[in-house]
């Protein structure tokens, strides 16, 4: 258990930014631990979700944004559903990973690559192309054996399409990404 | 007149969950719910989009909401809980005019955001209802013991999803009971299966989905029944991997609830695609017959 010394490390801007972007009042958290108790991913986290909330409340920017927990959260919404103070904890987790991304953290590179590849597929085709997504993921991570065993079950069932389902308005979708990236840069 | 909804199939319906899409369409048709596909619908971005940015994620859903608004329908429905969450969250958050303006800046055209968004499960449960479905059953499922598994996000968070119970949902239980099936009290109804981490962090899925299969066996279920393409894939397609990782020997069929409704209503294999399931359900059906025979 690490001790956090608050006299020097409290980053008020960070707290304000998380509260603003998530529209949540973090000072309401009294560390009951309900969110952590129900979080199916606790055993994989470096910091359980209630501690992420506490570290955020106490302005520990670096510790929070470099945390692996942010990338392992599946957005299962059990924390949000069970918080006695109505804090939308899953939304806080989401906002923290937005910030972690913007700050360039990637403690779970495979997960980031999977998510990015997924979105690239949407940007390109308008819909996600499962087979293409897997192929790109494997190329980018070099993990050639990823789920190779499943192909044997999927292929005979026609469950994997070798063709992307490009939509007519794929340019509209690409434009959403383009405008978003532009907004981000400005 | 039968109610008409704008239908959002979701990307997996075109591939890994084709049987869910097919059986949903067949069941809705049989029960008098008219579906019109959202013209040229696009991907909602699923979880990856909202981990990047909320306005981006909402814009991807808002494009589909806008496309649906061009139709003469009373709402938007989707079978997939992940698509549902994104559509509902977008619709909910766009009630804030400031946020809506930010989303619209990313779109080609503004959206009205007036249509209600629901899951197909909600529409079948509320508009048709278990009693009317029970009246239509031609091939009862009595003797088949099911563990109903809703997955994590169909009903949560309750402020946004606004349907059934967030800790102990019962819509699918009631619909399956209406088909004559025996419903096991399944304690992990809303636990997460490991979501889309199967590719990047398989171990997490092996543990979480493994727990679900163990629990289904503990309550002596012959099969699980689910409403989520990702849950179904983790439990069915990855069941062999799970057995290998956990030294287990599960042989648990995992149905979509629409396949079972279709079966009880007498729809054929063309509509149900039971052959698409990786864990074959023949054993479960055989047991069902045996139970019935010994009861009569
Ligand atoms: S459930 Fe809510 S109050 Fe309790 S520790 Fe988690 S965030 Fe804090
Ligand atoms: S949303 Fe994330 S942090 Fe919250 S309980 Fe689910 S996995 Fe844990």
């Amino acid at each position: 258990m690490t001790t956090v010394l608050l006299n020097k490390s409290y980053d008020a801007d960070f707290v304000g930014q998380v509260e603003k972007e998530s529209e949540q009042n973090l000072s309401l958290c009294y560390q009951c631990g309900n969110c952590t108790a129900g979080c199916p991913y606790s055993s994989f986290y470096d910091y359980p979700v209630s501690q992420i909330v506490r570290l955020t409340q106490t302005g520990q920017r670096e510790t929070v944004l470099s945390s692996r927990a942010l990338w392992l959260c599946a957005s299962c919404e059990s924390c949000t559903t069970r918080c006695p103070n109505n804090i939308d904890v899953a939304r806080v987790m989401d906002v923290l990973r937005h910030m972690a991304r913007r700050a360039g953290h990637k403690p779970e590179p495979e997960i980031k690559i999977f998510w990015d590849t997924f979105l690239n597929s949407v940007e390109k085709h308008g819909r996600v192309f499962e087979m293409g997504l897997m192929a790109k993921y494997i190329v980018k991570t070099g993990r050639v054996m990823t789920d190779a065993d499943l192909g044997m079950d999927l292929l005979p069932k026609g469950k994997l399409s070798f063709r992307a389902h490009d939509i007519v308005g794929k340019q509209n979708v690409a434009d959403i990404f383009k405008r978003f990236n532009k907004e981000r840069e400005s | 007149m039968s109610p008409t909804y704008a239908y959002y199939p979701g990307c997996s319906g075109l591939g890994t969950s084709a049987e869910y899409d097919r059986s949903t369409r067949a069941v809705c048709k049989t029960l008098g719910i008219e579906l019109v596909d959202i013209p040229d619908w696009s991907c909602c971005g699923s979880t990856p989009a909202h981990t990047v940015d909320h306005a981006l994620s909402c814009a991807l859903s808002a494009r589909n909401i806008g496309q649906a608004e061009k139709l003469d329908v009373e709402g938007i429905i989707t079978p997939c809980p992940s698509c549902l969450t994104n559509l509902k969250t977008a619709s909910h958050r766009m009630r804030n005019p400031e946020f809506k303006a930010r989303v619209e800046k990313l779109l080609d055209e503004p959206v009205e955001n007036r249509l209600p968004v629901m899951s197909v499960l909600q529409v079948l449960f509320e508009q048709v209802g278990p009693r009317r479905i029970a009246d239509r059953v031609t091939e009862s499922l009595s003797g088949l013991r099911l563990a109903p598994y809703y997955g994590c996000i169909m009903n949560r968070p309750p402020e946004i999803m606004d349907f059934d119970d967030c800790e102990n949902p019962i819509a699918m239980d009631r619909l399956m009971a209406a088909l004559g099936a025996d419903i096991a009290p399944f304690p992990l109804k809303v636990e997460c299966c490991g979501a889309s981490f199967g590719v990047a962090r398989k171990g997490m899925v092996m543990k979480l989905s493994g727990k679900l299969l163990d629990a289904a066996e503990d309550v002596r279920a012959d099969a699980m029944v689910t409403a989520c393409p990702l849950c179904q894939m983790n439990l069915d397609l990855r069941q062999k991997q799970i057995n290998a990782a956990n030294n287990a020997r599960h042989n648990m069929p995992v149905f979509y609830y629409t396949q079972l409704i279709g079966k009880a209503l007498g729809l054929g294999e063309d509509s149900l695609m039971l052959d698409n399931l990786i864990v074959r359900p023949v054993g479960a059906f055989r047991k069902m017959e045996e139970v019935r025979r010994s009861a009569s």
Side-chain angles (χ1 to χ4, degrees), chain A residues 26 28-37 49-51 53-54 57 78-80 82-89:
Chain A
L26 293 178
L28 291 176
C29 171
Y30 49 38
Q31 287 293 297
C32 68
N34 255 354
C35 51
T36 295
V49 55
S50 52
Q51 280 184 30
V53 176
R54 183 73 183 137
Q57 212 178 34
S78 92
C79 49
T80 296
R82 291 171 190 168
C83 174
N85 295 316
N86 273 325
I87 301 172
D88 189 340
V89 190

Side-chain angles (χ1 to χ4, degrees), chain B residues 1-170:
Chain B
M1 219 191 85
S2 56
T4 304
Y5 291 98
Y7 180 64
Y8 183 79
C11 299
S12 64
L14 300 173
T16 44
S17 70
E19 62 270 44
Y20 192 22
D21 181 57
R22 181 87 65 88
S23 54
T24 298
R25 291 176 192 272
V27 163
C28 286
K29 187 163 176 212
T30 307
L31 295 174
I33 293 166
E34 199 167 323
L35 305 179
V36 185
D37 282 34
I38 296 182
D40 205 39
W41 58 273
S42 44
C43 175
C44 69
S46 195
T47 309
H50 71 73
T51 65
V52 171
D53 186 85
H54 287 149
L56 172 69
S57 165
C58 287
L60 290 172
S61 285
R63 177 181 178 273
N64 295 304
I65 293 174
Q67 293 287 88
E69 283 169 351
K70 295 173 184 159
L71 305 167
D72 181 21
V73 290
E74 48 195 273
I76 302 173
I77 65 174
T78 178
C80 170
S82 180
C83 305
L84 179 73
T85 306
N86 277 346
L87 285 163
K88 280 187 94 88
T89 305
S91 165
H92 184 84
R93 293 208 179 133
M94 281 194 296
R95 284 183 212 147
N96 171 345
E98 217 177 294
F99 183 73
K100 184 163 183 276
R102 230 199 110 196
V103 172
E104 283 178 339
K105 276 222 299 243
L106 300 177
L107 296 171
D108 286 340
E109 47 190 13
V111 285
E112 274 184 72
N113 195 27
R114 63 181 156 81
L115 291 174
V117 182
M118 279 171 285
S119 61
V120 173
L121 180 64
Q122 179 170 5
V123 170
L124 289 183
F125 186 68
E126 290 178 353
Q127 304 257 338
V128 186
R131 207 173 309 155
R132 269 171 62 202
I133 291 183
D135 288 343
R136 302 283 301 271
V137 169
T138 55
E139 292 174 29
S140 164
L141 300 185
S142 81
L144 183 67
R145 188 168 163 86
L146 295 172
Y149 172 56
Y150 294 73
C152 54
I153 49 173
M154 178 69 103
N155 308 95
R156 305 187 310 191
E159 301 75 42
I160 291 181
M161 303 317 273
D162 195 26
F163 166 56
D164 209 344
D165 189 277
C166 59
E167 296 289 1
N168 184 26
I170 46 100

Side-chain angles (χ1 to χ4, degrees), chain B residues 246-275:
Chain B
N246 301 349
N247 206 359
R249 298 176 60 183
H250 298 293
N251 184 27
M252 179 73 68
V254 187
F255 295 105
Y256 288 108
Y257 76 98
T258 44
Q259 289 179 302
L260 290 179
I261 296 180
K263 183 170 165 59
L265 299 186
L267 304 183
E269 172 63 19
D270 264 4
S271 319
L272 307 180
M273 293 171 82
L274 290 168
D275 274 349

